[in-house]
Amino acid sequence: MDVRNELKLDTNCYHCGDTIEDTSYILDKHSFCCLGCQTVYQILNENNLASYYRYNTHPGKSQKAQKEDLSYLDEPNIIAKLVDYQDDNMAIITFYVPAIHCSSCIWLLENLYKLNPGVKTSQVDFMKKQASITFFKNEISLRELVELLHQIGYDPKITLQDVIKESKKVNQNKLIAKITVAGFCFGNSMMISFPEYFGMAEFERQYTSFFGYMNLAFGLPVLLFSASDYFKSAWYSLKQKRLNLDVPLALGIFVLFFRSAFEIISQTGAGFMDTLCSLVFFILIGKWVQQRTYYHISFERDYRSYFPVAVTVIENEINKPTQIADLKVGDRIMVRNNEIIPADAILLKGNAAVDFSFVTGESKPVEKVLGEVVYAGGRQIGEAIELEVVKAVSQSYLTKLWNNESFKQVEKKFETFIGYISKYFTIGLLLIAFSAAAYWGITGNAEKAWAAFTAVLIIACPCALALSSPFTLSAALSIFDKNKLYIKNTAAIEQMAAIDTVVFDKTGTISSPNVSSMYFEGELTAQERSLLFSICRNSNHPLSREIIKWLGEAPVLPISNYIETVGKGQEAVYQDWEMKVGSASFVGTEKKDFEGSVVYISVNGQVKGLFTLEQSWREGLTDVINNLKGDHYQLHLISGDNERRADALKLIFPTQASLLFNQTPSDKLNKIDHWQKDNHKVCMLGDGLNDAGALRKADLGIAVSDDINNFSPGCDAILDGASFSKLPKFFKFSKDAVKVIKMSFMISLAYNTIGLSFAVQGTMSPLFAAILMPISTVTIISFTSLMTRAYAKRRKLI
């Protein structure tokens, strides 16, 4: 009795945490929402992996969702393209698993061999959200492996892009090798130089020449290997008749080595090889930090990452999974509920209700009749349909739209602060160096002229300046990442700070696909409400669940003759009432033009009303608009949708805002171009392929997505829909980051001024350079890190 009472209090599933709506499944005094969650717990428990639940409360994934068709994973030609390696006995495959989010995920995935002996090993890369699995082909097939991952709630994302395998990968191995060489030489060179700094004993003086040549030996690989990229970049910059920051860096490194080599070989000094090695080591660290961006988000995807790997082809009345690449004109294909139409095709069988919002931005599903062309990229809503392919995937409307020249990545002409400063910095540095040399040359002191010239180029080498931007912006990147704004590179943060105009798309951007509002037009008696409740509670369709929520609690009636027709509706009888719930054609009435999903209700052949389900505005939309308006941004809206909700938007947006509807993808791109020609810095927020051109054309393109692991058009940043309300804070913080760079530049300038006061006199010693340069570097790194965090706290982002 006590146990039952305890179980009644447990209203959440022990595995996934979902609310238990109906009868709970009970095992080991734990309650589960469905048999699937209970089975996963049982599997883990039987394999001594139940401690998985200790690491995280409700770590699992709900098992209620309908599983996708994995039959295509039995096809040898598809398997060969997906796996990284295979032989007669073993295969290795790397899966992208978006559900990886904490230590319990890593622990469970790396213990897969305990769940199935066919798995040999599995390793997880947490940053990339990837799991590399080695398995025995004779004991577990690829399909069974994926089903195992499905079963424990870690669905791998397998798309056509995985088959093509053209996604860009960040390869930092060469950079790390250069850092390793520079670090090794820096440490040893510094150790050899200590006697020189602190005064040599008589015993050590006889080794002075040997120590010098050792230092020269350590300097050579740093110059020729570790610093090679800076010489290449400087040479390319000069060929383009531009001056970037690598020009003074390369000049400083070269002069540093040349003067040091001269002093060592001529026995006139100890040289600055330890300073050279430290300089290259620290700027390479800065470069590594800059490149170490959040590469688990893909910004350069194309239509292939939106398409599935395979589609069902009907051949001689037999359904056969076929990879998209093998799809031919004339093939008859089956597209099930919620699947993507992969190529332009003619509808042969079934009722097509296709959601083209990804392509057009219009949220209203489009109904197609038999014989009509259905374009690629749409998602079928409802029953399974059969189509005949009329164009190859490479020639479909979706592919052409993506490959449209106006959609190609536009080179964004944006000059960063460091890029702007570097031009004047280089000119100023050379003027000071030549002036110092000329002064001492006129006075007849050629030795001091040479010493002053080289010392200026050495001490004013913009090491600290080169570090201030990458460390500041990389720290800012981590703050943005924690708040679910994933920025492509550090330069995009400076672009964000320069924005003065913000343009919004409507569907999926300022409206949330995960938050909907149900509206009813018509009248229902109390008895009819109860009947409607009794019918809808039998269906697992999302619209039926929304209607149940709208109705609230109602008496359950003993209905009979209940029938649910997939993709059309439901019907049932109670005493003298016959109720139908579904589409217009199903209940026998004319279809009305409404945005969003529509459900009609008829009783005994008479239409009693209709439900419309429309996306709601994102939480905090009004505050976002008001805050951006208060910060003096120009605000506009461009939508592919109709004007049905224009009146509501006019109340949210300022009066001077342009609200444009029924805009094609080209219209959006052209409008962005128009604002840019008026000297505005434009940020575009959108989603879907219909916004791709505008996102790329804008000075800053932000793709808003409620599943950041799904398809995203080429853009500068991806914003998780859950963080939409933080948009004004993000813009303010980007300005703060640029402010920190400018402040660190002033600190760097102060160090350079101190150093130059000694350098122009030709009295700079190796010890002075060895102390000043690392101190300035450490100061800049510490300042940028602390100030960036301080501004983030001020904006309440950490």
Side-chain angles (χ1 to χ4, degrees):
M1 189 69 176
D2 292 335
V3 172
R4 286 176 186 164
N5 288 335
E6 183 183 337
L7 291 174
K8 283 181 182 177
L9 294 174
D10 191 1
T11 58
N12 292 93
C13 177
Y14 182 70
H15 177 71
C16 71
D18 284 0
T19 302
I20 298 172
E21 296 174 354
D22 301 312
T23 306
S24 63
Y25 294 81
I26 300 168
L27 182 66
D28 295 341
K29 298 183 181 179
H30 300 304
S31 297
F32 301 90
C33 65
C34 64
L35 184 60
C37 285
Q38 178 184 304
T39 303
V40 175
Y41 167 80
Q42 195 168 1
I43 291 170
L44 295 175
N45 197 39
E46 288 172 355
N47 288 275
N48 298 317
L49 294 175
S51 53
Y52 168 67
Y53 296 96
R54 296 177 192 168
Y55 297 145
N56 195 11
T57 305
H58 306 310
K61 180 182 177 182
S62 175
Q63 301 295 304
K64 290 180 180 178
Q66 185 179 358
K67 297 294 183 290
E68 61 178 297
D69 179 19
L70 300 175
S71 57
Y72 68 91
L73 292 176
D74 291 327
E75 296 295 313
N77 56 341
I78 294 179
I79 294 172
K81 292 182 179 180
L82 286 174
V83 297
D84 303 322
Y85 165 84
Q86 67 173 334
D87 54 30
D88 294 338
N89 182 43
M90 190 182 299
I92 302 172
I93 188 167
T94 301
F95 287 123
Y96 175 55
V97 187
I100 297 173
H101 71 285
C102 67
S103 59
S104 62
C105 305
I106 298 172
W107 181 83
L108 180 58
L109 288 171
E110 292 191 345
N111 279 275
L112 284 178
Y113 66 92
K114 293 183 179 179
L115 296 178
N116 192 307
V119 177
K120 183 183 179 185
T121 60
S122 52
Q123 291 182 317
V124 175
D125 184 329
F126 182 75
M127 284 295 292
K128 294 182 180 180
K129 296 192 176 184
Q130 289 181 344
S132 180
I133 302 172
T134 304
F135 61 99
F136 298 107
K137 293 164 59 177
N138 296 328
E139 296 182 36
I140 182 172
S141 67
L142 178 60
R143 178 177 178 175
E144 289 169 339
L145 178 61
V146 173
E147 286 173 346
L148 174 63
L149 292 171
H150 275 300
Q151 196 173 39
I152 61 174
Y154 290 93
D155 302 359
K157 272 199 174 295
I158 305 172
T159 65
L160 183 58
Q161 187 127 327
D162 296 310
V163 175
I164 305 296
K165 293 190 175 178
E166 287 180 351
S167 57
K168 296 179 181 178
K169 296 181 179 178
V170 178
N171 186 356
Q172 294 187 315
N173 291 341
K174 193 172 182 180
L175 178 58
I176 291 170
K178 290 181 178 182
I179 292 171
T180 303
V181 170
F184 173 80
C185 295
F186 167 44
N188 284 280
S189 179
M190 186 64 76
M191 181 181 66
I192 291 171
S193 301
F194 276 145
E196 181 71 35
Y197 294 153
F198 298 111
M200 289 189 180
E202 286 301 321
F203 170 74
E204 293 164 332
R205 288 192 182 279
Q206 60 184 313
Y207 294 102
T208 301
S209 178
F210 175 71
F211 287 156
Y213 283 109
M214 282 286 288
N215 265 333
L216 185 58
F218 285 126
L220 273 170
V222 172
L223 177 79
L224 300 176
F225 177 64
S226 296
S228 59
D229 287 343
Y230 293 99
F231 292 109
K232 291 175 185 176
S233 175
W235 174 246
Y236 179 76
S237 176
L238 291 172
K239 281 177 66 179
Q240 299 293 317
K241 297 180 180 179
R242 292 186 291 110
L243 289 175
N244 62 13
L245 197 61
D246 289 340
V247 174
L249 269 174
L251 184 61
I253 292 168
F254 178 76
V255 170
L256 200 55
F257 179 84
F258 185 79
R259 176 171 169 177
S260 300
F262 176 80
E263 288 186 5
I264 291 168
I265 294 170
S266 65
Q267 300 290 305
T268 56
F272 303 85
M273 285 301 177
D274 54 331
T275 306
L276 168 68
C277 295
S278 68
L279 167 65
V280 175
F281 175 69
F282 282 119
I283 60 176
L284 286 175
I285 289 289
K287 188 176 182 180
W288 177 81
V289 169
Q290 189 173 25
Q291 287 186 7
R292 185 73 179 175
T293 188
Y294 298 88
Y295 53 86
H296 59 268
I297 300 295
S298 174
F299 292 87
E300 300 296 344
R301 298 179 180 181
D302 60 20
Y303 68 92
R304 288 172 302 207
S305 61
Y306 184 55
F307 280 178
V309 171
V311 67
T312 303
V313 172
I314 304 172
E315 192 174 324
N316 299 324
E317 303 300 322
I318 298 173
N319 294 347
K320 181 184 178 184
T322 304
Q323 62 176 334
I324 299 292
D326 295 338
L327 203 58
K328 303 185 299 293
V329 174
D331 282 348
R332 186 173 183 133
I333 61 174
M334 176 187 289
V335 177
R336 302 177 181 85
N337 179 44
N338 215 34
E339 287 185 347
I340 301 295
I341 297 165
D344 296 350
I346 294 175
L347 180 63
L348 299 179
K349 183 179 179 182
N351 295 303
V354 189
D355 176 8
F356 283 107
S357 59
F358 169 74
V359 179
T360 65
E362 175 63 62
S363 59
K364 179 181 172 184
V366 178
E367 293 190 0
K368 297 286 186 177
V369 298
L370 298 181
E372 196 171 355
V373 173
V374 184
Y375 292 108
R379 186 185 296 274
Q380 165 64 1
I381 307 297
E383 65 182 22
I385 56 175
E386 294 181 14
L387 310 102
E388 182 179 318
V389 176
V390 293
K391 287 184 182 177
V393 175
S394 61
Q395 297 175 332
S396 70
Y397 170 75
L398 179 67
T399 314
K400 286 181 179 177
L401 184 59
W402 184 264
N403 292 329
N404 189 304
E405 283 302 316
S406 63
F407 277 33
K408 296 296 183 185
Q409 182 67 53
V410 181
E411 185 180 350
K412 299 183 180 181
K413 297 178 181 179
F414 181 83
E415 190 169 43
T416 63
F417 174 74
I418 295 299
Y420 173 78
I421 288 295
S422 63
K423 293 184 292 186
Y424 303 101
F425 185 92
T426 306
I427 295 169
L429 175 61
L430 291 173
L431 280 174
I432 295 171
F434 281 112
S435 298
Y439 173 79
W440 291 112
I442 292 169
T443 60
N445 195 332
E447 186 179 336
K448 273 202 171 183
W450 161 252
F453 179 77
T454 55
V456 167
L457 294 177
I458 291 169
I459 204 69
C461 180
C463 173
L465 182 61
L467 289 174
S468 63
S469 178
F471 274 92
T472 301
L473 296 178
S474 296
L477 273 178
S478 67
I479 301 296
F480 282 125
D481 180 69
K482 288 174 184 175
N483 287 275
K484 298 183 179 180
L485 173 63
Y486 305 93
I487 297 182
K488 183 175 185 176
N489 53 44
T490 52
I493 298 177
E494 291 192 62
Q495 289 174 246
M496 192 175 191
I499 294 300
D500 60 28
T501 303
V502 183
V503 182
F504 296 89
D505 174 48
K506 184 168 83 72
T507 307
T509 303
I510 63 172
S511 63
S512 172
N514 296 330
V515 181
S516 303
S517 298
M518 181 67 79
Y519 302 96
F520 180 71
E521 295 182 17
E523 289 186 12
L524 292 174
T525 64
Q527 189 81 342
E528 288 167 345
R529 288 171 70 98
S530 297
L531 180 53
L532 179 60
F533 181 88
S534 303
I535 292 175
C536 289
R537 70 188 294 270
N538 289 283
S539 174
N540 198 37
H541 194 281
L543 288 175
S544 295
R545 290 185 172 273
E546 290 295 331
I547 292 172
I548 291 290
K549 289 180 187 176
W550 184 87
L551 289 169
E553 292 298 324
V556 178
L557 303 177
I559 58 175
S560 59
N561 299 333
Y562 173 82
I563 299 173
E564 180 174 11
T565 306
V566 178
K568 293 183 178 180
Q570 311 162 72
E571 58 184 306
V573 174
Y574 171 68
Q575 295 182 357
D576 295 332
W577 286 282
E578 181 186 356
M579 178 176 280
K580 288 187 176 182
V581 183
S583 64
S585 58
F586 182 71
V587 302
T589 187
E590 284 189 16
K591 185 175 181 295
K592 295 184 180 180
D593 188 19
F594 282 105
E595 181 181 355
S597 301
V598 183
V599 180
Y600 293 83
I601 312 296
S602 72
V603 178
N604 295 332
Q606 181 182 356
V607 176
K608 290 288 187 175
L610 56 90
F611 285 96
T612 56
L613 186 71
E614 298 180 0
Q615 291 182 3
S616 297
W617 304 132
R618 288 196 183 274
E619 186 178 352
L621 173 63
T622 303
D623 290 337
V624 168
I625 298 299
N626 289 337
N627 287 331
L628 290 175
K629 178 185 174 184
D631 292 334
H632 307 293
Y633 287 96
Q634 287 195 24
L635 303 175
H636 304 290
L637 180 133
I638 309 180
S639 175
D641 272 354
N642 56 46
E643 301 179 19
R644 186 164 180 262
R645 304 184 74 180
D647 291 339
L649 289 167
K650 286 177 183 177
L651 297 175
I652 298 172
F653 279 79
T655 52
Q656 64 270 28
S658 299
L659 303 181
L660 306 173
F661 298 92
N662 300 308
Q663 300 292 296
T664 65
S666 295
D667 291 338
K668 293 184 179 186
L669 186 144
N670 293 334
K671 196 61 184 174
I672 296 291
D673 183 56
H674 169 74
W675 281 316
Q676 287 175 328
K677 286 178 179 176
D678 286 343
N679 296 319
H680 289 294
K681 298 293 183 183
V682 182
C683 171
M684 174 71 193
L685 288 101
D687 77 317
L689 181 57
N690 62 300
D691 298 318
L695 287 167
R696 293 179 174 189
K697 176 64 178 171
D699 297 282
L700 181 75
I702 302 178
V704 182
S705 176
D706 288 86
D707 180 2
I708 59 169
N709 301 304
N710 274 344
F711 180 89
S712 307
C715 54
D716 300 297
I718 299 175
L719 174 63
D720 192 307
S723 293
F724 181 82
S725 60
K726 296 180 182 179
L727 197 60
K729 292 181 181 180
F730 293 148
F731 278 107
K732 288 177 181 176
F733 182 60
S734 66
K735 295 180 187 292
D736 294 335
V738 174
K739 199 182 298 180
V740 171
I741 294 173
K742 292 178 179 178
M743 288 190 288
S744 61
F745 169 70
M746 297 306 295
I747 295 172
S748 171
L749 208 58
Y751 272 112
N752 279 342
T753 304
I754 296 169
L756 285 172
S757 65
F758 291 92
V760 294
Q761 299 176 50
T763 59
M764 185 185 72
S765 69
L767 178 60
F768 179 80
I771 293 173
L772 184 66
M773 293 188 112
I775 287 179
S776 65
T777 298
V778 170
T779 304
I780 290 295
I781 293 172
S782 302
F783 174 79
T784 55
S785 300
L786 292 171
M787 284 302 296
T788 305
R789 286 189 63 82
Y791 275 117
K793 283 184 178 179
R794 180 182 172 187
R795 301 299 178 196
K796 297 181 179 178
L797 293 175
I798 55 174

